[in-house]
Amino acid sequence: MSFPWAKQYEPKMPVMRWLDEKLPLPRFVYNAVGAGYPVPRNLNYMWNFGVLAGFCLVLQIVTGVILAMHYAPNALVAFDTTEHIMRDVNWGWMMRYAHANGASFFFVVIYMHIFRGLFYSSYKAPREMIWLLGVVIFLLLMATAFMGYVLPWGQMSFWGAKVITGLFSAIPLIGEPLQVWLLGGYAPDNAALNRFFSLHFLLPFVTAGVVILHIWALHIPGSSNPTGIEIKSESDTVPFHPYYTAKDGFGLGIFLILYCTFVFFLPNFLGHPDNYIPANPMATPAHIVPEWYFWPFYAILRAFTVDFILSAKLWGVLAMFSSILLWFFLPWLDRSPVRSGHYRPLFRKFFWFGLIPAMVVLFICGGAPAEEPYVMLSQIATAYYFLHFLVILPIVSSIERPEPLPYSITEAVLGSDKKAVLGENTSPAT
Amino acid sequence: MATSTDTTVNTTDVAAETVGEDGVRRRDFINIAAVSAGGVGALAVVYPLVSQMAPSKDVLAESTTELDISAIQPGQAVKAVFRKQPVFVRMLTEAEIAEADAVSLGDLREPETLADRTLEGHENVLVTMGVCTHLGCVPLGAAEGENKGEYGGYFCPCHGSHYDTAGRIRKGPAPTNLVVPDYTFTTDTTIVIG
């Protein structure tokens, strides 16, 4: 992406000039995050979470590779090597808590990032591909986090592995053989633990690859912004560096304060105490729940309790997977030409008073036992969730009368756009 | 005359490039054959890459479990390990047998009598896998003082499935009865599972 006013890279040192002619890597960086990348001037703090997600990925890869130096993926010793990391390895306790809480904070950041996209309709043309790649990244993250949680081989690890692979057994005909193939046996055991380790190591690098495509796709139209209006002239933008490197750096500081508070003062707050009990294939813990970041989807899984046509078990599995897979169709379900929720009064109501409360209810029900009133509440919230995306959003986008949009980003920020008035508007190059 | 050479040259070219009445060239067949051979080769490579994850020989070579049941009193159950999964062996009381036989088959999700689920001459010994048929948790009810559910058998805490005294599903999301593994009595007090 480059607007006509984007600064050109001009190497000053001879060595950089030499490098630029052979392999223009510094030019690439300059055009990606340097002064060569103009960004809308009105981005708010909701636009910090992409960088934070990137930071979390690096954090998880670094601490993960370190933990893999001391952890042994064998059912006989996995739990013990985890405790060995906590007690004997220099700073091992910190590495483990940083990695475990890092996963939770990764999901906090990702959920903020996703809901930013949902409110400002960042998924709309021409940014569909960014959104689709983002959904792929989200699916990869969930698979990675699940397999990581299995590795310490505690009670929650073991029974999580059993239940999550058991989801596949709901598929007619191929389900049972598929679960056996995934586990490499008839119950979670060494074979399962071993391969989950291998895949937990692999997937973050696959994720990193998709993240590169995600950023590449973003740099073609450039960042969206809270008005949802495209960039019209130079006065709408500021160079990424130093303006947004500084702002992202500030956001990162706030994030690190919160994150470190958890790592150092509340390291087990977000975890489940039963995972400090070694895996016991003979007894299931009475209150088995997944990690908090899976609760909304777990609630959808458990909302189906009655057989009709298909078994309740299969309905639950289908609903849980389609609750995320339907995001792939979102750019085509929301037909409104206006992007930002700021200018869409009806959409805004359904977003804040429909979707968000439904997600909160699903979150609470997913963490609660499968008893009344939680089952009924999760059924209502699940129904609303699907209704929101499949019915309400398409209808709202066709009947809604949006509020008047500002002429440009500059006008939205300063109240007027002098360049536009003077006719000095420069159209962006495509 | 030059015509003879020209003809030879033309014939070869024409043979290779002739487009038949159906619009198919002879070379198209080579393309299809080559891509097919490549596809078969790729599948031959992918198969072992996928198959290696299936249970290995040591997992498949699962042995049998021999169990002495002489010490189990009526009304008691024990948990044994069979193929790394729990198996429940339960000595039924007269009351429990009567309760199981009193159930009408029409009320069951998977209709089976207690006699179908036990061995002849040993109707008081109920051997089932301790694996809930919903998502695979271990139901409660085998040990002393555990919740046996609304039907006096087993209760799965994961998603609330209730099983009766014959290990049959009566309530909750589990689709089928607790699985009865293959087993035989070698003596009056010894069973071999598997």
Side-chain angles (χ1 to χ4, degrees), chain A residues 11-319:
Chain A
K12 292 185 185 71
M13 285 182 290
V15 62
M16 295 308 263
R17 201 174 305 124
W18 180 87
L19 182 60
D20 192 47
E21 286 165 2
K22 275 72 181 178
L23 181 70
L25 207 54
R27 178 180 296 273
F28 178 80
V29 174
Y30 187 88
N31 288 336
V33 292
Y37 183 51
V39 184
R41 65 194 291 172
N42 61 335
L43 300 190
N44 61 30
Y45 276 105
M46 285 308 292
W47 264 259
N48 269 60
F49 291 94
V51 164
L52 293 181
F55 173 81
C56 287
L57 183 62
V58 173
L59 174 79
Q60 292 302 83
I61 288 178
V62 171
T63 52
V65 169
I66 288 169
L67 289 171
M69 292 178 183
H70 307 281
Y71 166 83
N74 182 302
L76 294 175
V77 294
F79 190 89
D80 295 341
T81 56
T82 310
E83 285 307 307
H84 155 73
I85 291 168
M86 296 293 287
R87 292 154 195 247
D88 307 332
V89 176
N90 289 342
W91 299 98
W93 59 271
M94 189 176 83
M95 297 298 169
R96 186 189 177 214
Y97 282 151
H99 195 70
N101 285 281
S104 281
F105 274 77
F106 205 157
F107 275 93
V108 170
V109 165
I110 283 293
Y111 283 131
M112 296 297 279
H113 195 59
I114 291 171
F115 280 88
R116 189 284 314 271
L118 289 175
F119 182 77
Y120 293 105
S121 311
S122 302
Y123 48 79
K124 276 184 193 165
R127 297 186 178 80
E128 301 97 318
M129 191 52 82
I130 312 171
W131 174 259
L132 299 181
L133 289 164
V135 179
V136 171
I137 294 170
F138 184 58
L139 293 170
L140 282 167
L141 276 187
M142 294 205 292
T144 310
F146 157 64
M147 289 190 282
Y149 195 49
V150 171
L151 300 183
W153 213 237
Q155 272 290 67
M156 285 294 156
S157 300
F158 181 92
W159 292 101
K162 178 118 194 189
V163 168
I164 300 293
T165 57
L167 297 178
F168 292 92
S169 74
I171 303 167
L173 298 174
I174 60 158
E176 303 273 350
L178 186 61
Q179 187 189 5
V180 170
W181 177 76
L182 286 170
L183 289 173
Y186 302 93
D189 198 15
N190 212 33
L193 177 61
N194 235 189
R195 72 191 48 182
F196 282 9
F197 176 69
S198 180
L199 295 173
H200 183 68
F201 209 115
L202 168 72
L203 288 185
F205 297 98
V206 177
T207 308
V210 185
V211 166
I212 289 170
L213 298 182
H214 189 66
I215 298 171
W216 185 4
L218 170 72
H219 279 64
I220 293 179
S223 294
S224 181
N225 69 84
T227 65
I229 304 167
E230 290 297 330
I231 289 164
K232 290 204 166 80
S233 70
E234 186 174 358
S235 70
D236 287 346
T237 64
V238 289
F240 190 88
H241 180 75
Y243 294 95
Y244 284 111
T245 41
K247 187 171 182 175
D248 285 336
F250 178 73
L252 181 63
I254 302 285
F255 168 84
L256 284 175
I257 290 170
L258 289 170
Y259 168 70
C260 289
T261 305
F262 272 82
V263 170
F264 293 107
F265 301 103
L266 300 157
N268 292 307
F269 182 76
L270 297 165
H272 198 293
D274 276 16
N275 222 28
Y276 280 105
I277 303 169
N280 177 4
M282 292 298 122
T284 309
H287 185 194
I288 172 170
V289 280
E291 287 277 76
W292 69 265
Y293 38 78
F294 291 137
W295 285 354
F297 304 104
Y298 193 60
I300 291 175
L301 168 77
R302 296 195 300 189
F304 292 80
T305 50
V306 185
D307 294 5
F308 59 105
I309 310 166
L310 305 173
S311 67
K313 182 176 166 183
L314 182 55
W315 274 116
V317 172
L318 288 175

Side-chain angles (χ1 to χ4, degrees), chain B residues 81-104:
Chain B
V81 184
F82 171 58
R83 295 183 178 166
K84 302 201 171 170
Q85 296 187 82
V87 61
F88 295 155
V89 180
R90 188 158 173 175
M91 206 63 73
L92 299 174
T93 61
E94 291 299 327
E96 284 172 335
I97 293 170
E99 196 182 319
D101 288 338
V103 178
S104 134

Side-chain angles (χ1 to χ4, degrees), chain B residues 74-147:
Chain B
Q76 276 188 340
V78 295
K79 268 189 208 177
V81 184
F82 171 58
R83 295 183 178 166
K84 302 201 171 170
Q85 296 187 82
V87 61
F88 295 155
V89 180
R90 188 158 173 175
M91 206 63 73
L92 299 174
T93 61
E94 291 299 327
E96 284 172 335
I97 293 170
E99 196 182 319
D101 288 338
V103 178
S104 134
L105 287 187
D107 295 343
L108 296 171
R109 195 172 288 174
E110 193 192 2
E112 274 184 317
T113 61
L114 179 62
D116 293 338
R117 295 172 60 73
T118 52
L119 295 185
E120 219 179 326
H122 298 280
E123 278 85 2
N124 61 330
V125 184
L126 179 68
V127 181
T128 61
M129 296 304 295
V131 180
C132 178
T133 55
H134 181 225
L135 290 174
C137 296
V138 180
L140 303 172
E144 203 77 35
E146 280 181 354
N147 184 354

